[in-house]
Amino acid sequence: MSFNTFGHMFRVTTFGESHGVAIGCVVDGCPPMIPLTEADIQRDLDRRRPGQSRFTTQRQEPDQVKILSGVMAHPETGVQVTTGTPIGLLIENTDQRSKDYSEIKDKFRPGHADFTYEAKYGLRDYRGGGRSSARETAMRVAAGAIARKVLPDVRVRGALVQIGPHKIDRDKWDWDEIAKNPFFCPDKDKAAFFETYLDGIRKSGSSIGAVIEVVADGVPAGLGAPIYAKLDSDLAAAMMSINAVKGVEIGAGFGAAELTGEENADEMRTGNDGTRFLSNHAGGVLGGISTGQPVVVRFAVKPTSSILQPRLTVDRQGADTEIFTKGRHDPCVGIRAVPVGEAMMACVLADHFLRDRGQVGR
Amino acid sequence: MSFNTFGHMFRVTTFGESHGVAIGCVVDGCPPMIPLTEADIQRDLDRRRPGQSRFTTQRQEPDQVKILSGVMAHPETGVQVTTGTPIGLLIENTDQRSKDYSEIKDKFRPGHADFTYEAKYGLRDYRGGGRSSARETAMRVAAGAIARKVLPDVRVRGALVQIGPHKIDRDKWDWDEIAKNPFFCPDKDKAAFFETYLDGIRKSGSSIGAVIEVVADGVPAGLGAPIYAKLDSDLAAAMMSINAVKGVEIGAGFGAAELTGEENADEMRTGNDGTRFLSNHAGGVLGGISTGQPVVVRFAVKPTSSILQPRLTVDRQGADTEIFTKGRHDPCVGIRAVPVGEAMMACVLADHFLRDRGQVGR
Amino acid sequence: MSFNTFGHMFRVTTFGESHGVAIGCVVDGCPPMIPLTEADIQRDLDRRRPGQSRFTTQRQEPDQVKILSGVMAHPETGVQVTTGTPIGLLIENTDQRSKDYSEIKDKFRPGHADFTYEAKYGLRDYRGGGRSSARETAMRVAAGAIARKVLPDVRVRGALVQIGPHKIDRDKWDWDEIAKNPFFCPDKDKAAFFETYLDGIRKSGSSIGAVIEVVADGVPAGLGAPIYAKLDSDLAAAMMSINAVKGVEIGAGFGAAELTGEENADEMRTGNDGTRFLSNHAGGVLGGISTGQPVVVRFAVKPTSSILQPRLTVDRQGADTEIFTKGRHDPCVGIRAVPVGEAMMACVLADHFLRDRGQVGR
Amino acid sequence: MSFNTFGHMFRVTTFGESHGVAIGCVVDGCPPMIPLTEADIQRDLDRRRPGQSRFTTQRQEPDQVKILSGVMAHPETGVQVTTGTPIGLLIENTDQRSKDYSEIKDKFRPGHADFTYEAKYGLRDYRGGGRSSARETAMRVAAGAIARKVLPDVRVRGALVQIGPHKIDRDKWDWDEIAKNPFFCPDKDKAAFFETYLDGIRKSGSSIGAVIEVVADGVPAGLGAPIYAKLDSDLAAAMMSINAVKGVEIGAGFGAAELTGEENADEMRTGNDGTRFLSNHAGGVLGGISTGQPVVVRFAVKPTSSILQPRLTVDRQGADTEIFTKGRHDPCVGIRAVPVGEAMMACVLADHFLRDRGQVGR
């Protein structure tokens, strides 16, 4: 089963609750001899870290990752490398501030997993969302950092392309802008707009949804496997497993429903260095297998459910009541989903790469 | 691995090429003592069968399923029931008409899996698409028919809700209309329109995309498992694995990106028979676990890539050329995806049901 | 789950009952471009086939295998090769002779799976043992024939080394003798003895156990993966899954318990072509990984439970009774387990080979 | 894949090297609402702990386990219970004494995994055996402690039944003796003999093999699943995955090869409380499914490979040399394998129990 594990050859198992002792993960199947330090992982974690702007939760967590196993100094070079054994990673929870949970302990927050965890397990860890908290995604980002090292020639980048009804202008897409605003937004002008827009959302105690796009360049043709391990099928599962994601699309996505066969089919020509496609409605995947074009995935993130506006709900005793959620929350959880989406893309690609090429022996 | 298998407790493994000897599947993990005959499966297969209208491929296949194993007459009642052992299913390919494949043998059809299979495996079965043909989905429908019997209190129904840019009117939704038109369309008026519209598409040698919605009623709260076996994550993988699907969404889906937290969160009240929700933006899934509301999934199907319009392409030798595809093809493959989407929903739900309740021993 | 599937990268899923319509299997993950015909598989099946001597069941089954999918004529060479898609195999059951099953329908045969299947599933296919019949192993042999082609440089051979208390003389081991007697016995003299000995067993309506040894030469060092996919762990599971097997050992096996550290540790010297070991107590596996020496596995097969001698038992209604089993049965099921053990070894090695080297892309 | 994971519904993933920062594991799939404290786990760990007598390694490790996730105080009772989410466990390595590894850094110890890890991965963690160290089994024992709580009515007990050629007297079997000697030996007299015998082995710088028997009482009939998830097949894999194990047998095991059908088949009679068997050659498993009798597994452990006696070997540069291993090692690793064998039995049974009954919903 795969309750808390994803991947087959590049396998990631995560554990830990938002306000427990620690969160952690085990990355199994990583090939040996890959240089890997905590700094390599920390770099990606820092991009996801909360508290970096007023547009993400103010929870302050240094999120300092520790590698517990699976690496050693190479006996000849002294460089720390992977050994082929499982890589244990741990982040201790330092900001478990003592807090009054009486409000949410007995009430189900609409839009949250409170009700469903209780329905399934008979109890739930109400402290900060427990296992259902987005805090779990820190370990995905950590695993993704390792996945990137498995695929040195592949570049995975994500961008926020929509907040609420406001989409970026694709003609203004500039990857360099991503690092310059707190939204991972590639459209400079729209980023400026988002700043004002989200301030309004935040001040009103509300929240708003978003759409993220993740693009992988340098993916060789041939990754993915029919029929039930299609690259796009695995990407869909990976993205949909991220907290608050409600939709996933590849290439033209839902737009493909409106296209004719002539419009949708990406024509091919022979280029200097092999076949190239004249368009990429396919999003880099045909028949579940990569085409060699950029792999393009978009996913929709619903608005944060924890809002200051009171909502109708019921309590554990079955009585009607109201709830509103105080505390540190993102007005737009979609923002921090950008590095998480990148990480999932990297992990899925690494997994398929290793299925085709094997863990060792190349 | 799961190249050609899906599910964990209710496991389906399919095999077979479009123009080979036969297609088949093995359904493993089905609980014992469930009444099951070939007629039960045939009923669903007949809904998917091609050649039933001019809007689907004219390939004539009786698609007669045979149960090879896993059932026997109950020693006391004489009723044929499952035994808990794997159920082998087979459909012989009868319409493998001898045909001239010279055109597609050496050319890659844009939008098809031709290029990617060749890139991955070094060869491909060019006869009718081989393994990448939608013919494989017949076995999904067969497996889905068994899955439905595992979940007697759950009703899974699918509908075509959009062709090209034309969406149905949701106010006119009538499930009874589904069986009355060749499109599985729940909006009577739109169905009439589609008839004319698709005739035009067909006559012009073109094709068009579509959107399908699948709804499961009667799903108990509590199905699904965090974090990487979320019900919606598994549904996304299942739907995205269907041929030509480019997008999947749950509940409000991509629309959730445009909602505020107040709008999106489904409020709760206490009803006579337990908790009920005042809306269903969640599509019946919160935190990856079913809420007890209808589970609602939509997926986008791209237009058929086999069209009569010539398109630029390259051949296996790397030279630029053109191609157009003669033969029997659907102007809108989305139509026949309706029963396939239903089957995938049924299989995913049965899988999760058995994870929670076990295969035997209840 | 893996109820009826084994392997990860070279995956085999079997189905079918002894007296049903057919038995079959799906081999998933086989690399493309491997020449494969039905004759390649039939050759191995013929070695396992019953009815070839009076020492195995007289059930007459031609066991003619059909390849249903996963192969095609190579477009250039015309040679039939694998395509990388799942290989469906089918053997129709032709000797389902109408027979009186009233005796075993309601009584549990001691030593058989009758009682446990009924305990688990509430019913069982009493016709010829149903799913628990050794007939299922025909599909393992078929899959093993394909596995051998994945590993062209590895030679997997099995031998019967003990029947009842009578062990072969290892000094007289001659692989060429295997094909010359009906016991797969490498010791010519002991084979002659077994002929007389088993005639006695057979005539008395009794049965007897056996020990099989399977040896794989040419296995490269490095196959297997710590900790829970150790090569010997997977071999143990594979052999123990064969009908009637009660024990498995690697190399020195249970004998290792009696050795000192000095005796057991295989010393190493540098040879012309790399490291060699001066002994092979390890049976070719250290720390779960192959050493490059022959991989040596032995397994014990219990005596056939279907005997002419009456035994005490109970019936389905819970009453005490007696039973004896008429019909065509092996006096020593261990004999036919030899090609089955070879097949399982080949499948496990192919699986690990593909984990390390990948399915495609080498 | 399952490199470092075992089980399907009760899944255990371990990580960590002998002399790294820590070892740990993730137990996934444990049902909710089971009372669980660190003390519950520590109790079993303490039984396995080294340094408790002169017959096991003198490495001093308190082996203090920490639960990192997956439990919380029940909101009503305050009792700490499982939540259904993954249970992260950690043991920090405290006795990583700085040590001279120059001897083994470049030489392969015969009988060790040194050579094979290097062959597979190109490097190995030479410090204390790294991942191949028996230290990893501490996490199995921890997981086993949780598995026992999943199966409150099953009692799993192990015993050492042979050291070198010396077998216990089965007529003197007394489970109460197990806790009274440092060998987990159920035969009081033989335990006294082992004390003298092992002192001799230890003083001579040698080591010796052993055989362990694990018995599970109270296992309900019906656990296990044909064909490739047979209870005995999973037990074989589980036991063979333990360090230094070279053979596994169920019930009569290799002895079954010497029995006739009449001798081997366990006859049945109707007792007051249902069917009972008059003997247990089957070891509680028929057709891969539990019979309701005690499940009996034996496994052979080879002698410790780290011995003071010099042995021929080669070094990493390919030159012939000699090696002998100084340091703290068990004269008989089989002793400490007893609680490990129990843990593996408990985990396999819990896994099969959850497959049949489900993780939640009973």
Side-chain angles (χ1 to χ4, degrees):
Chain A
M1 306 289 283
S2 51
F3 291 160
N4 291 280
T5 298
F6 67 94
H8 293 267
M9 289 292 283
F10 186 86
R11 282 176 74 78
V12 179
T13 302
T14 75
F15 62 91
E17 276 79 41
S18 173
H19 285 62
V21 181
I23 57 172
C25 81
V26 187
V27 176
D28 198 5
C30 183
M33 296 291 189
I34 296 179
L36 181 72
T37 65
E38 290 173 351
D40 292 326
I41 301 170
Q42 196 63 47
R43 202 173 305 126
D44 280 14
L45 279 172
D46 287 347
R47 290 183 67 224
R48 176 204 161 276
R49 189 150 48 97
Q52 301 192 101
S53 82
R54 67 184 180 280
F55 305 112
T56 57
T57 174
Q58 291 309 299
R59 173 169 173 153
Q60 293 293 337
E61 295 260 351
D63 276 1
Q64 196 68 41
V65 71
K66 277 195 290 190
I67 301 181
L68 300 179
S69 64
V71 296
M72 68 178 289
H74 190 284
E76 270 92 46
T77 66
V79 174
Q80 181 165 295
V81 294
T82 58
T83 61
T85 59
I87 302 168
L89 301 176
L90 200 76
I91 297 176
E92 287 174 47
N93 289 331
T94 54
D95 184 28
Q96 317 154 39
R97 70 172 65 171
S98 173
K99 193 179 149 183
D100 180 11
Y101 287 111
S102 56
E103 179 80 357
I104 59 171
K105 185 179 172 184
D106 286 317
K107 294 181 183 177
F108 303 118
R109 290 168 295 172
H112 260 281
D114 296 347
F115 176 75
T116 53
Y117 269 66
E118 189 101 16
K120 185 175 195 83
Y121 298 114
L123 85 172
R124 71 192 147 92
D125 193 338
Y126 47 81
R127 299 163 301 175
R131 183 73 181 146
S132 72
S133 164
R135 181 143 183 72
E136 187 269 346
T137 60
M139 297 321 307
R140 305 180 185 220
V141 172
I146 300 174
R148 287 179 200 263
K149 302 210 110 197
V150 174
L151 298 165
D153 300 328
V154 174
R155 184 167 56 172
V156 177
R157 293 180 292 186
L160 184 144
V161 298
Q162 181 181 337
I163 294 184
H166 308 288
K167 301 182 182 181
I168 63 158
D169 181 344
R170 288 188 166 258
D171 291 336
K172 295 187 182 157
W173 190 298
D174 179 357
W175 282 111
D176 291 338
E177 288 299 321
I178 300 286
K180 295 180 186 162
N181 61 67
F183 310 110
F184 302 102
C185 179
D187 171 352
K188 187 180 179 176
D189 297 342
K190 200 64 78 182
F193 170 78
F194 286 157
E195 194 140 349
T196 315
Y197 178 72
L198 276 187
D199 261 341
I201 297 282
R202 187 171 56 83
K203 284 171 185 163
S204 69
S206 182
S207 64
I208 190 76
V211 176
I212 314 302
E213 182 166 321
V214 181
V215 180
D217 296 295
V219 177
L223 291 194
I227 300 292
Y228 301 110
K230 285 178 171 169
L231 186 57
D232 39 359
S233 178
D234 280 4
L235 285 170
M239 299 309 171
M240 196 67 97
S241 78
I242 300 172
N243 306 50
V245 171
K246 299 303 285 183
V248 183
E249 57 183 15
I250 310 284
F254 276 87
E258 309 198 4
L259 300 178
T260 65
E262 306 91 277
E263 292 163 342
N264 180 67
D266 303 311
E267 296 187 300
M268 287 177 266
R269 290 284 90 176
T270 304
N272 288 333
D273 51 353
T275 299
R276 63 200 161 79
F277 293 84
L278 305 185
S279 54
N280 191 16
H281 293 100
V285 187
L286 282 173
I289 302 172
S290 64
T291 62
Q293 286 194 288
V295 176
V296 181
V297 179
R298 267 182 310 284
F299 56 92
V301 182
K302 71 180 185 183
T304 319
S305 304
S306 300
I307 48 177
L308 287 170
Q309 305 291 338
R311 305 300 289 158
L312 301 180
T313 191
V314 300
D315 62 22
R316 295 181 69 225
Q317 285 69 40
D320 286 349
T321 181
E322 282 201 352
I323 192 167
F324 70 96
T325 318
K326 288 164 293 189
R328 307 155 301 175
H329 293 289
D330 301 46
C332 178
V333 280
I335 298 170
R336 289 207 290 139
V338 175
V340 181
E342 292 176 358
M344 297 311 286
M345 169 79 89
C347 287
V348 169
L349 292 173
D351 191 28
H352 278 276
F353 182 80
L354 296 178
R355 293 184 203 191
D356 281 2
R357 311 294 167 88
Q359 197 209 1
V360 297
R362 274 156 289 151
Chain B
M1 306 290 283
S2 50
F3 290 162
N4 292 281
T5 298
F6 67 94
H8 292 267
M9 289 292 283
F10 186 85
R11 282 176 75 77
V12 179
T13 301
T14 73
F15 63 92
E17 277 79 40
S18 173
H19 285 62
V21 180
I23 58 172
C25 81
V26 187
V27 176
D28 198 5
C30 184
M33 296 290 190
I34 296 178
L36 182 71
T37 65
E38 290 173 351
D40 292 325
I41 301 170
Q42 197 63 47
R43 202 173 306 125
D44 279 14
L45 279 172
D46 288 347
R47 291 183 66 224
R48 175 204 162 276
R49 191 151 46 99
Q52 302 193 99
S53 82
R54 67 185 180 279
F55 305 112
T56 57
T57 175
Q58 292 308 300
R59 174 170 173 151
Q60 293 292 339
E61 295 260 352
D63 276 2
Q64 196 67 40
V65 71
K66 276 195 290 190
I67 300 180
L68 301 178
S69 64
V71 296
M72 68 178 288
H74 189 284
E76 270 91 46
T77 65
V79 174
Q80 181 165 296
V81 294
T82 57
T83 60
T85 60
I87 302 168
L89 301 176
L90 201 76
I91 297 175
E92 286 173 48
N93 288 332
T94 54
D95 185 26
Q96 317 153 40
R97 69 171 67 170
S98 172
K99 191 179 152 184
D100 180 11
Y101 287 110
S102 56
E103 179 80 355
I104 59 171
K105 184 179 173 184
D106 287 316
K107 294 179 183 177
F108 303 117
R109 290 167 294 172
H112 260 281
D114 296 348
F115 176 75
T116 53
Y117 269 67
E118 190 100 16
K120 184 175 196 85
Y121 298 115
L123 85 172
R124 71 191 148 93
D125 193 338
Y126 47 82
R127 299 163 299 175
R131 183 71 181 147
S132 72
S133 164
R135 179 140 184 75
E136 187 268 347
T137 61
M139 297 322 306
R140 303 181 187 219
V141 172
I146 300 174
R148 287 180 201 263
K149 302 210 109 198
V150 173
L151 298 165
D153 299 329
V154 174
R155 183 167 55 173
V156 177
R157 292 181 292 186
L160 185 143
V161 298
Q162 181 181 339
I163 294 183
H166 307 287
K167 301 183 182 182
I168 63 157
D169 182 344
R170 289 189 165 257
D171 290 336
K172 295 188 182 157
W173 190 299
D174 179 358
W175 282 111
D176 291 338
E177 287 299 321
I178 299 286
K180 296 182 184 161
N181 61 68
F183 310 109
F184 302 102
C185 179
D187 171 352
K188 185 181 182 176
D189 298 342
K190 200 64 80 183
F193 169 79
F194 286 156
E195 194 140 350
T196 315
Y197 177 71
L198 275 187
D199 261 340
I201 296 282
R202 186 171 57 81
K203 284 172 183 162
S204 69
S206 182
S207 63
I208 191 75
V211 176
I212 314 303
E213 183 166 320
V214 181
V215 181
D217 296 296
V219 178
L223 291 194
I227 299 292
Y228 302 111
K230 284 178 172 170
L231 185 58
D232 40 359
S233 179
D234 280 4
L235 285 169
M239 299 309 172
M240 196 66 98
S241 78
I242 300 173
N243 306 49
V245 171
K246 301 302 286 183
V248 183
E249 57 182 16
I250 310 283
F254 276 87
E258 308 198 3
L259 299 179
T260 63
E262 305 89 277
E263 291 164 344
N264 181 67
D266 303 311
E267 296 187 301
M268 288 178 265
R269 290 284 90 176
T270 303
N272 289 334
D273 52 353
T275 300
R276 62 200 161 78
F277 293 83
L278 304 185
S279 55
N280 191 13
H281 293 100
V285 187
L286 283 174
I289 302 173
S290 63
T291 62
Q293 285 194 291
V295 176
V296 181
V297 179
R298 268 181 309 283
F299 57 93
V301 183
K302 70 178 186 185
T304 320
S305 303
S306 300
I307 49 178
L308 287 169
Q309 306 289 338
R311 305 300 289 157
L312 302 179
T313 191
V314 300
D315 63 21
R316 293 181 70 224
Q317 285 69 41
D320 285 349
T321 181
E322 282 202 351
I323 192 167
F324 69 96
T325 318
K326 287 166 293 190
R328 307 155 299 174
H329 293 289
D330 300 48
C332 178
V333 279
I335 298 169
R336 287 207 291 139
V338 175
V340 180
E342 292 176 357
M344 297 311 285
M345 170 78 92
C347 287
V348 169
L349 291 173
D351 191 27
H352 278 276
F353 182 79
L354 296 178
R355 293 185 203 189
D356 281 2
R357 312 293 168 91
Q359 196 207 3
V360 298
R362 272 155 290 152
Chain C
M1 305 290 284
S2 51
F3 291 160
N4 291 281
T5 298
F6 68 95
H8 292 268
M9 289 293 284
F10 186 85
R11 283 176 75 78
V12 179
T13 302
T14 74
F15 63 91
E17 277 80 41
S18 174
H19 285 62
V21 180
I23 57 172
C25 81
V26 187
V27 176
D28 197 6
C30 184
M33 295 290 189
I34 296 179
L36 182 71
T37 65
E38 289 173 350
D40 292 326
I41 301 171
Q42 196 63 48
R43 202 173 305 125
D44 280 14
L45 279 172
D46 288 347
R47 292 182 67 224
R48 177 204 161 276
R49 191 150 47 98
Q52 301 192 100
S53 83
R54 65 185 182 280
F55 306 112
T56 56
T57 175
Q58 291 309 297
R59 175 171 171 149
Q60 294 292 339
E61 295 260 351
D63 275 1
Q64 197 67 41
V65 71
K66 275 194 290 191
I67 301 180
L68 300 179
S69 64
V71 297
M72 67 177 288
H74 189 284
E76 269 92 47
T77 66
V79 173
Q80 181 165 296
V81 294
T82 58
T83 60
T85 59
I87 302 169
L89 301 176
L90 201 76
I91 298 175
E92 285 174 47
N93 288 331
T94 54
D95 185 28
Q96 316 155 40
R97 70 171 65 172
S98 174
K99 194 178 149 183
D100 180 10
Y101 287 111
S102 56
E103 180 80 356
I104 59 171
K105 184 179 173 185
D106 287 317
K107 295 179 181 177
F108 303 117
R109 290 167 295 172
H112 261 281
D114 296 347
F115 176 75
T116 53
Y117 269 66
E118 190 100 16
K120 185 174 195 83
Y121 298 115
L123 85 172
R124 70 191 149 93
D125 193 339
Y126 47 82
R127 300 161 300 173
R131 183 72 182 146
S132 72
S133 164
R135 180 142 183 73
E136 187 269 347
T137 61
M139 297 321 307
R140 304 180 186 222
V141 172
I146 299 175
R148 287 179 200 264
K149 303 211 107 197
V150 173
L151 297 164
D153 300 328
V154 174
R155 183 167 55 173
V156 177
R157 292 180 293 186
L160 184 146
V161 298
Q162 181 181 337
I163 294 183
H166 307 287
K167 301 182 181 182
I168 64 158
D169 182 344
R170 288 189 166 257
D171 291 336
K172 295 187 182 157
W173 190 299
D174 179 358
W175 282 111
D176 291 338
E177 286 299 322
I178 300 286
K180 296 181 184 162
N181 62 67
F183 310 110
F184 302 101
C185 180
D187 170 351
K188 186 181 181 175
D189 298 343
K190 200 63 78 181
F193 169 79
F194 285 156
E195 194 140 351
T196 316
Y197 178 71
L198 274 188
D199 262 340
I201 296 282
R202 186 172 56 84
K203 284 172 184 162
S204 69
S206 183
S207 63
I208 191 76
V211 176
I212 314 303
E213 183 166 320
V214 180
V215 180
D217 295 296
V219 177
L223 290 195
I227 300 289
Y228 302 110
K230 283 178 171 169
L231 185 58
D232 39 359
S233 179
D234 280 3
L235 285 169
M239 299 308 173
M240 195 66 97
S241 77
I242 300 173
N243 306 49
V245 171
K246 300 303 284 184
V248 183
E249 57 183 15
I250 310 283
F254 275 87
E258 309 198 3
L259 300 178
T260 63
E262 306 90 276
E263 292 164 344
N264 180 67
D266 304 310
E267 295 187 302
M268 288 177 265
R269 290 284 88 175
T270 304
N272 290 334
D273 52 353
T275 300
R276 61 201 162 78
F277 293 84
L278 305 184
S279 54
N280 190 14
H281 293 99
V285 187
L286 282 174
I289 302 173
S290 64
T291 63
Q293 286 195 288
V295 176
V296 182
V297 179
R298 268 181 309 284
F299 57 91
V301 183
K302 71 178 186 184
T304 319
S305 303
S306 300
I307 48 178
L308 287 170
Q309 305 290 338
R311 307 299 290 156
L312 301 179
T313 192
V314 299
D315 62 21
R316 294 181 70 225
Q317 285 69 41
D320 286 349
T321 181
E322 282 201 351
I323 192 168
F324 70 96
T325 319
K326 289 165 292 190
R328 309 153 301 173
H329 293 288
D330 301 46
C332 178
V333 279
I335 299 170
R336 288 207 292 139
V338 175
V340 181
E342 292 177 357
M344 297 310 286
M345 170 78 91
C347 287
V348 169
L349 292 173
D351 190 28
H352 278 276
F353 182 79
L354 296 178
R355 292 184 204 192
D356 281 3
R357 313 292 168 90
Q359 197 208 2
V360 298
R362 273 156 289 154
Chain D
M1 306 288 283
S2 51
F3 290 161
N4 292 281
T5 299
F6 67 93
H8 292 267
M9 289 291 285
F10 187 86
R11 283 176 76 76
V12 179
T13 301
T14 74
F15 63 92
E17 277 80 42
S18 174
H19 286 61
V21 180
I23 58 172
C25 81
V26 187
V27 176
D28 198 6
C30 183
M33 296 291 188
I34 297 178
L36 181 71
T37 64
E38 289 173 352
D40 292 325
I41 302 171
Q42 196 63 47
R43 202 173 304 125
D44 279 14
L45 279 171
D46 288 346
R47 291 183 65 224
R48 177 205 161 274
R49 190 150 48 97
Q52 301 193 101
S53 82
R54 65 185 181 279
F55 306 112
T56 56
T57 175
Q58 291 309 297
R59 174 170 173 150
Q60 293 293 337
E61 294 260 351
D63 276 359
Q64 196 67 41
V65 71
K66 276 195 290 190
I67 301 180
L68 300 179
S69 63
V71 297
M72 68 177 288
H74 189 284
E76 270 92 46
T77 66
V79 174
Q80 182 166 294
V81 295
T82 58
T83 60
T85 60
I87 302 168
L89 301 175
L90 200 78
I91 298 176
E92 286 174 47
N93 288 333
T94 53
D95 185 29
Q96 317 154 41
R97 69 171 66 171
S98 172
K99 192 178 151 184
D100 180 11
Y101 287 112
S102 56
E103 179 80 358
I104 59 171
K105 184 179 172 184
D106 287 316
K107 295 180 181 177
F108 302 117
R109 291 167 294 172
H112 260 281
D114 295 348
F115 176 75
T116 53
Y117 269 66
E118 190 100 15
K120 186 175 194 83
Y121 299 114
L123 86 172
R124 71 193 148 92
D125 192 339
Y126 45 83
R127 298 163 300 174
R131 183 72 181 146
S132 72
S133 164
R135 180 141 183 74
E136 187 269 346
T137 61
M139 297 321 307
R140 306 181 186 220
V141 172
I146 300 174
R148 286 179 201 264
K149 302 211 108 196
V150 174
L151 298 164
D153 300 328
V154 174
R155 184 168 56 174
V156 177
R157 292 180 294 185
L160 185 144
V161 298
Q162 182 182 336
I163 294 183
H166 308 288
K167 300 182 182 182
I168 63 157
D169 182 345
R170 287 187 167 259
D171 292 337
K172 295 186 181 158
W173 190 299
D174 178 358
W175 282 112
D176 291 339
E177 287 299 321
I178 299 285
K180 296 180 183 162
N181 62 68
F183 311 109
F184 302 102
C185 179
D187 170 351
K188 185 180 181 176
D189 298 343
K190 200 62 79 181
F193 168 79
F194 285 156
E195 193 141 352
T196 315
Y197 177 71
L198 275 188
D199 261 340
I201 296 281
R202 187 171 56 83
K203 284 172 184 162
S204 69
S206 182
S207 63
I208 191 74
V211 176
I212 314 303
E213 183 166 319
V214 180
V215 180
D217 296 295
V219 177
L223 290 195
I227 298 289
Y228 301 110
K230 284 178 171 169
L231 185 58
D232 39 0
S233 179
D234 279 4
L235 285 170
M239 299 308 173
M240 196 65 98
S241 77
I242 300 173
N243 306 50
V245 171
K246 299 303 285 184
V248 182
E249 57 183 16
I250 310 283
F254 276 87
E258 308 198 5
L259 300 178
T260 63
E262 305 90 277
E263 291 163 345
N264 181 66
D266 303 312
E267 296 187 301
M268 287 177 266
R269 291 283 90 177
T270 303
N272 289 334
D273 52 353
T275 300
R276 62 201 161 79
F277 293 84
L278 306 184
S279 54
N280 190 14
H281 293 100
V285 187
L286 283 174
I289 300 173
S290 64
T291 62
Q293 286 195 289
V295 176
V296 181
V297 179
R298 268 181 309 284
F299 57 93
V301 182
K302 71 179 186 184
T304 319
S305 303
S306 300
I307 49 178
L308 287 170
Q309 305 290 337
R311 307 298 291 157
L312 302 179
T313 192
V314 300
D315 63 22
R316 295 181 70 225
Q317 286 69 40
D320 287 348
T321 182
E322 282 201 349
I323 192 168
F324 70 96
T325 317
K326 288 165 294 190
R328 307 155 301 174
H329 293 288
D330 301 46
C332 178
V333 279
I335 298 170
R336 287 207 291 138
V338 175
V340 181
E342 293 176 358
M344 297 311 285
M345 170 77 91
C347 287
V348 169
L349 292 173
D351 191 28
H352 277 276
F353 182 80
L354 296 179
R355 293 185 203 191
D356 281 2
R357 312 293 168 92
Q359 195 208 3
V360 297
R362 275 156 286 154

